[in-house]
Amino acid sequence: MAVICHYETLKYGSKGRNLLTYSDRGEQAIRQGDSEIAEAWFDQAAEYWKQAIALTPGNYIEAQNWLKITGRS
């Protein structure tokens, strides 16, 4: 998720940095075998994506797809 949406987060400014932090921590938790913590971090990232998408509908297509695929839309 972090790699796929990195460019899109840059367009979202300071909140984009939060998105990267949440996504990176989720990826780190997965590598450490802690899926419960990973899901919590990804849920936080999803909330920020939803805000970004609400502000600029039609943008952040990859994020919208990620939300749908992961059941967070």
Side-chain angles (χ1 to χ4, degrees):
M1 180 357 204
V3 173
I4 294 171
C5 298
H6 179 74
Y7 174 72
E8 290 185 343
T9 63
L10 296 176
K11 296 187 289 185
Y12 195 44
S14 64
K15 287 194 176 196
R17 286 188 295 276
N18 288 339
L19 285 164
L20 284 176
T21 298
Y22 294 147
S23 296
D24 289 345
R25 289 185 179 176
E27 295 286 341
Q28 182 180 18
I30 286 173
R31 286 190 299 274
Q32 293 173 346
D34 196 338
S35 61
E36 188 173 318
I37 295 294
E39 288 300 312
W41 284 117
F42 291 139
D43 287 345
Q44 288 291 322
E47 291 307 312
Y48 273 96
W49 278 122
K50 290 176 190 175
Q51 290 175 26
I53 292 164
L55 290 172
T56 55
N59 286 337
Y60 309 113
I61 301 303
E62 289 182 36
Q64 291 180 42
N65 290 337
W66 176 76
L67 289 168
K68 287 177 189 174
I69 290 168
T70 62
R72 291 180 170 92
S73 58

